[in-house]
Amino acid sequence: MTEEIIIAGFGGQGVLSMGQILCYGGVMQGKEVSWMPSYGPEMRGGTANCTAIISNQQISSPVLTEFDTAIVLNQPSLDKFEEAVKPGGLLIYEVNGMTRKPERTDISIFSIPAYDMSVKMNNTKVFNMIVIGGFLKVRPVIELENVIKGLEKVLPERYHHLIKLNEEAIHKGMDIVKEESAAV
Amino acid sequence: MTEEIIIAGFGGQGVLSMGQILCYGGVMQGKEVSWMPSYGPEMRGGTANCTAIISNQQISSPVLTEFDTAIVLNQPSLDKFEEAVKPGGLLIYEVNGMTRKPERTDISIFSIPAYDMSVKMNNTKVFNMIVIGGFLKVRPVIELENVIKGLEKVLPERYHHLIKLNEEAIHKGMDIVKEESAAV
Amino acid sequence: MAENNIISPENLVYEKTSVLTDRVLHYCPGCGHGTAHRMLAEVVDELGIQGDTIGVAPVGCSVLAYYYFDVDMQEAAHGRAPAVATGIKRTMPEKYVFTYQGDGDLAAIGTAETLHACNRGENFLIVFINNGIYGMTGGQMAPTTLPGMKSSTSPYGRDVVTMGNPLKMTELVAELPGTCFVTRQSVHTPANARKTKRALKKAMEYQKQNKGTCFVEIVSNCPSGWKMTPAESNKWMEENMFPYYPLGDIKVPS
Amino acid sequence: MAENNIISPENLVYEKTSVLTDRVLHYCPGCGHGTAHRMLAEVVDELGIQGDTIGVAPVGCSVLAYYYFDVDMQEAAHGRAPAVATGIKRTMPEKYVFTYQGDGDLAAIGTAETLHACNRGENFLIVFINNGIYGMTGGQMAPTTLPGMKSSTSPYGRDVVTMGNPLKMTELVAELPGTCFVTRQSVHTPANARKTKRALKKAMEYQKQNKGTCFVEIVSNCPSGWKMTPAESNKWMEENMFPYYPLGDIKVPS
Amino acid sequence: MARKGDVVINIESCKGCEVCITACPNQVLALSNEVNSKGYHYVMKVNSACVGCANCAVVCPDAVITVYREKRKQ
Amino acid sequence: MARKGDVVINIESCKGCEVCITACPNQVLALSNEVNSKGYHYVMKVNSACVGCANCAVVCPDAVITVYREKRKQ
Amino acid sequence: MKDLRLMKGNEAMAEAAIRAGADAYFGYPITPQSEVIEYLMRENPAERTGMQVLQAESEVAAINMVYGAAGCGKRAMTTSSSPGVSLMAEGLSYIAGAELPCLVVNVVRGGPGLGTIQPSQSDYFQAVKGGGHGDYKLIVLAPATVQESVDYVKLGFELAFKYRNPVMILSDGIIGQMMEKVELFEQQPRLTEEFSWATVGKKPDRDSVIVTSLQLQSEEQEKVNLRLQAKYREVEKNEVRFESYECDDAEYLFVAFGSCARITRKAMEMARGKGIRVGLLRPQTVYPFPYDAINKLAGQVKGILSVEMNAGQMVEDVRLAVNGKTTVKHFGRFGGMIPSPAEILNALEQKIIGG
Amino acid sequence: MKDLRLMKGNEAMAEAAIRAGADAYFGYPITPQSEVIEYLMRENPAERTGMQVLQAESEVAAINMVYGAAGCGKRAMTTSSSPGVSLMAEGLSYIAGAELPCLVVNVVRGGPGLGTIQPSQSDYFQAVKGGGHGDYKLIVLAPATVQESVDYVKLGFELAFKYRNPVMILSDGIIGQMMEKVELFEQQPRLTEEFSWATVGKKPDRDSVIVTSLQLQSEEQEKVNLRLQAKYREVEKNEVRFESYECDDAEYLFVAFGSCARITRKAMEMARGKGIRVGLLRPQTVYPFPYDAINKLAGQVKGILSVEMNAGQMVEDVRLAVNGKTTVKHFGRFGGMIPSPAEILNALEQKIIGG
Ligand SMILES: Cc1ncc(C[n+]2csc(CCOP(=O)(O)OP(=O)(O)O)c2C)c(N)n1
Ligand SMILES: Cc1ncc(C[n+]2csc(CCOP(=O)(O)OP(=O)(O)O)c2C)c(N)n1
Ligand code: SF4
Ligand code: SF4
Ligand code: SF4
Ligand code: SF4
Ligand code: SF4
Ligand code: SF4
Ligand SMILES: [Mg+2]
Ligand SMILES: [Mg+2]
């Protein structure tokens, strides 16, 4: 099993830590993982993305041009990465702020209104955990328990009381993710 | 014709300019020349030497380990360069301040009391011209007229009135140079 | 709302100078670099020297200054802008030359080049943006970082015993006979920005008169590096930076 | 002649310290480097810290200082002695560390390292031999060369307009909070040499107390570079160097 | 009496830093709830108290604001 | 009255710079006409006026001079 | 118990330095490696192990601080990226000349000049042929994983002290920035040994120690050089490290190092999938270079493709190894561009198989 | 009328710079080349031609001053020796990256580190493989005579402007310090041309000029690199220069450059005297290197000896040229030692003929 994921969005959306959490979960599950951020121009602002790979074998290249899954959280990221999903692959997008829908017909496309849900949960910080939930629902590459274990590793001790909330957010994400068109 | 000369002595004895004057004379006579100083450690004091080569052909190496002629003006230089004269070659030494005589028997050896003569001439600055005179007497590789022409090139205009004096010193040197032992 | 007829060419009192290009600045919201750029560009505009000005951009957040100033510019290696400007001014003595440098660029790696250009009294203008941090590389400690101030390389606050003291380059270069005009300003309020502009204009005029090096420090904010909102950063700057780096002229030509 | 019996061990009042080796110094006749070496060696001797002292030699005439000081020493790249000493002192904080640097080394190529070591208040001693010239490389202009002074790269005299002004590094580093003791001395008369020694001793004592950087400038002669006899050079130094570089303490610990 | 002024805001290049808001002596400016294409809440006029002093424009890091002011009657 | 002193000169390491000569309050020292093996005219004592003040030794760049002085009678 | 973590290459190197018992780190920030000093400052190793960490005023100062600490026999290191490493050229030459041990990491970005901060391998020549002046060599380790980054910090210090020679880790923006699983070795004690060549304070029973690269006499300098060359021959004999993949039956060969070797390995797998019998040799030390291993394979394969994230640098060493025995070609992307496995496979097909 | 003089290599280069119409010289003293700036200061070219001469505070400053002047389209130069040239590594990489023309002279001395001030050729790698970071090349001219030192100053500026690339003259202590007959070319006018790529003040009818080596996007940086590589291929096609002596009937071949080639030529004459048919190929450009010429001769000779005043650097380029066609060996003295013709001949006999 190898799952090659690109996660892309604005800088503040927690894109980089989503990748890290998935990878740490992978480690907990005894998998090989690699995480590679876009480290942009030495300057502020702009978009961010990271590549997360979770696999049973040793990982050759941490840098990819094609992905099994693209998780895109804003319009520029959809524009950039829709084409990079392998035929038969998966695209998950956050609906808020998209001005157009994905157009590919040869991949699975899911949407997730994670922002709205986070507002409903009264905590926009869990936004990215909701998205993770959505992804894991569609591609259960890591068991929830390991994701939580990973989270424990990533979060400093003093934030461990938030783990419950995050777990809840994951579940919400699993609930609200929705298939948009089923190609293949 | 190729004459390969090493001139060696204390820093203040005009060793470097002797080589330059000979070389400039060579240029005036249409010869190929090269002059190479010892540029010592980046520090003060000590001995100085230069290699002067005058030839009818293009000069391959400006740096030599064996010489046709060695002109040595102090004891350390005699110690260092006596052995470097090619068999059949020439060694000229300034008598003053030598604690021993040259020992080679397979080369021509000449002495020149140039320092005493310069004192006699009331001008120790012409010391090195006296030595040049001695050398040219033994090895007339350059005509006197060209040496003088070279001198005109080396000396700044404002010192040109000294040229007569230098010419005189050369003649004196030709007079006082003396064969010490005639080996070969 | 104001009557629409106010907005007509004859009523225009302020617009972006054409010496700034129309590119969107890449700086973070509220960053003083933009205002500093504009003040300098307005001076070039008002003196009518756009065609006679050559700028030198540093390595730092303002590395792309050449995209914004519509004058010929060179991008210097980190810290070497004063040396590059020396090469320019010595061979183009009739041009107006300026460098624009951050505090890492000018006061850390470029210390020697800065001091020696000032000491030679090179006839150009050094604009020194002191935001107490390495903005571009992600908020590391600069030579000008305040005691106790946090940065990514002084996460527990600058400890002057092990990390050294904030360096007042401006006071130092004022000691050198080569500098002609040395001043410290800011651009975070309209009044300060206008003062800065006047200082920059004076500096260009002195340059014309070959009076020596002019050195204009602009104490500025770095909301991103300081991890504050722009408003917080300006307030923090007033309360913490200004006491250490007091504004005002330090040396004026006699 | 004095009676021979004066020369006996119990009457000994002055002899070469054993902290100087017996090698013949390579310096030119009358060069102040030798006296400066001896004063420093005597301090190390008297404080009994020969085994706890680590020196840093520069690139300059004193590059071979390690042949003369009988203490462990490192030879630094040109200008970098303060950085090398930082590396030493930070990892060997209980040792007495000093650098010994010429004016080319310290005030030209090493400007940044000098200033930043002083600004960090590194706990070591910088001995700065200011002879107004690059002695080792054959008498080129130094940052400290006086206006109008001739050198092989200012053959018609230093023109401050094109070549810059003499740089008073000592006054500059005195401005930095990191320095604890900053003084300017000379070694060309017995009285001055003794004063220098006292200054060096104080500096070592401050180092023991971790007070920050001590900086001892010694204005010195370079008979060869200046093209004078030793006596002429000392007189010239008094008449020309001292007015520009006045002797005395510039900063003393409070 | 202060003359009347007005400002034109280049919404697309505004980064919502609020520096101009602080600088306006007459509280003319405020952030909009809307965002521009870069995702920034941009500045807008909220009243007609503008006197054309240009303070806002002078401190705006992004050169967003153009200022107009009625000519003084001669 | 000044105590008596004496100096011992390491002739071979003297460079004849004359700095000591200038420094001596009692004109005890002068350059010899002879040269040492390095070719330098070296310093020598020319009278017995030495008081052992060590001035010469202190300024000598080449650490050539050793100084002795009579002990004060106790 | 294994200390298994998910770490960035840069941070992992910083942690490895603490654990390797490093005495001092001196460095100046530069992307893409500033995390090293940031991590160290956060960890405050002065408390953990006594290790000193100082942000220097420049890379020039940093490398000379390393010189000073190394001269005292301390485990000293610095890290930087391309332009900063260029500024260390003189200092590295001095350290090599004075035969001091130290560790220098170059997390390479695209050049020349300010270039780009994206990953590159275009400092290969600088690292292995000598960016500084004079005849000297750095021992150069090229990690391909975060794990190797960690291991090479430890190995680097060991080799540096074994040979009293500067060691460079030639990393790049990929390895520095990526996170991978990494197993951290246990905390090593800091050195207490007083080396006879180090300035630790003169003892009454020995001459003073002098750390220098200066020799006034050519004869002496030549002796120094001969000693250095003899040492390099030793290094070449003992320290060549490489990995080979699927070389036994290989008809073609890739040579690639560092992050590029990972990508090339994927290309190899793709090629094998298409039935192309291609192997991969990955130098782990690029100095000393695995000349012999490549020379041996050169007799077996029909062609070799040197895959690099540069315009063709290591390919010269590959050619020197092959010495005409078979075709050698270069494929590279550069300026921060990263080749894809597909491109590499394509290059193999075009340049070697079809060429 | 010919202006024939007897001049030191260093001083001759200084005079040549004035005559070549140089606009500016920036430099920092270092043995064995300080005569260059000393001569210029004495000559006061500001009065002769308007050329500016400035003693910089360091080599780092000097090379960046050159950058600034070159960016204005001026003929700018600097000179230094080995440690000083190392300090210029970053600056040279920037100049190459920004595609600016300039002339840099390295009067090489023995390294590594402070080393010795005696002549050496141990900066060959640094000069031709790139001391700085990134994929860039200097055009490197290696004079063997004072005359060539003079001619290469002129040629160097011409090539620098033709290719907008830094040019290095790789001299050494012998060529710099020796005096020889030299014919000086006539005074050339200083440039008045305003280049379109130079910062000379923005004109209303054109965009502002930007001199930079920075590209934020990898795609753009790769384009820059591709342009540079294309330029280097041009240089390699057009600018290879070498001399060969007695190669027609040669059974053996010496390859040597610079001062060492002169000594080797004497060795060749001695060998011919003994009936050994050996020729000499002397690269005048070491980048671009005469690969083809050597490759051709490799088919003819039984062995090649690369003679260098270093521990073996150019020999790698010779091997790359030969590509296994014949034996290649290296002979060198180093650390300031100069080989004698007899030693060289002996090395030929031992390593090549007898080997
Ligand atoms: C030789 C070199 N060292 C380090 C860097 C990395 N670097 C880029 S900008 C910078 C500091 C920027 O800080 P500052 O000069 O204060 O400018 P700011 O971004 O704060 O405006 C550093 C260290 C570099 N590009 N080159
Ligand atoms: C990087 C480098 N640049 C230049 C030199 C040449 N150099 C050696 S010593 C020196 C200056 C010496 O002058 P100073 O520091 O004043 O010492 P002094 O000899 O006067 O005591 C120079 C420029 C060098 N060795 N290394
Ligand atoms: S990082 Fe700081 S200095 Fe740089 S643009 Fe952002 S706010 Fe301005
Ligand atoms: S050159 Fe000058 S500084 Fe150097 S030893 Fe001689 S007199 Fe002293
Ligand atoms: S100051 Fe400028 S950028 Fe900031 S909010 Fe106001 S208009 Fe927008
Ligand atoms: S011009 Fe003056 S009054 Fe009008 S909005 Fe701007 S700051 Fe306010
Ligand atoms: S001071 Fe010393 S070296 Fe100079 S003359 Fe006197 S004894 Fe000799
Ligand atoms: S000790 Fe004093 S009195 Fe005696 S020689 Fe020396 S200086 Fe003169
Ligand atoms: Mg800053
Ligand atoms: Mg000096």
Side-chain angles (χ1 to χ4, degrees), chain B residues 30-172:
Chain B
K31 301 208 177 274
E32 299 298 320
V33 302
S34 92
W35 172 94
M36 178 79 199
S38 69
Y39 59 103
E42 280 178 297
M43 29 207 52
R44 323 285 107 232
T47 58
N49 70 63
C50 71
T51 304
I53 308 177
I54 298 158
S55 178
N56 292 336
Q57 299 120 279
Q58 206 183 318
I59 294 165
S60 301
S61 170
V63 180
L64 303 167
T65 44
E66 286 188 340
F67 305 90
D68 298 313
T69 297
I71 302 176
V72 296
L73 307 178
N74 64 7
Q75 188 63 51
S77 301
L78 176 63
D79 297 346
K80 191 159 172 196
F81 293 109
E82 180 174 1
E83 286 310 309
V85 179
K86 292 182 200 161
L90 168 67
L91 176 83
I92 302 182
Y93 69 97
E94 146 66 26
V95 288
N96 213 284
M98 292 292 175
T99 57
R100 71 161 180 88
K101 293 214 163 193
E103 284 154 12
R104 293 271 297 269
T105 55
D106 59 338
I107 58 174
S108 312
I109 296 181
F110 284 74
S111 72
I112 186 164
Y115 181 71
D116 294 346
M117 176 54 75
S118 73
V119 172
K120 258 190 231 149
M121 286 178 73
N122 262 322
N123 192 333
T124 51
K125 294 233 165 100
V126 298
F127 168 78
N128 60 353
M129 298 308 295
I130 298 171
V131 179
I132 285 185
F135 167 70
L136 288 175
K137 175 72 184 295
V138 188
R139 280 277 200 281
V141 286
I142 310 164
E143 284 159 34
L144 185 56
E145 129 194 48
N146 285 321
V147 176
I148 301 300
K149 274 197 208 151
L151 207 55
E152 279 167 12
K153 280 271 189 178
V154 174
L155 281 181
E157 199 87 43
R158 64 180 184 286
Y159 292 128
H160 277 194
H161 64 278
L162 295 176
I163 286 176
K164 267 268 69 65
L165 180 68
N166 281 301
E167 197 172 342
E168 203 181 308
I170 293 176
H171 283 294
K172 287 275 197 270

Side-chain angles (χ1 to χ4, degrees), chain D residues 13 190, chain F residues 5-7 20 23-29 45 49-57 65-68:
Chain D
V13 290
Chain F
D6 203 352
V7 293
C20 56
C24 175
N26 299 316
Q27 288 79 46
V28 175
L29 306 170
K45 264 191 312 181
C50 177
V51 295
C53 68
N55 276 0
C56 55
I65 305 175
T66 307
V67 184
Y68 297 86

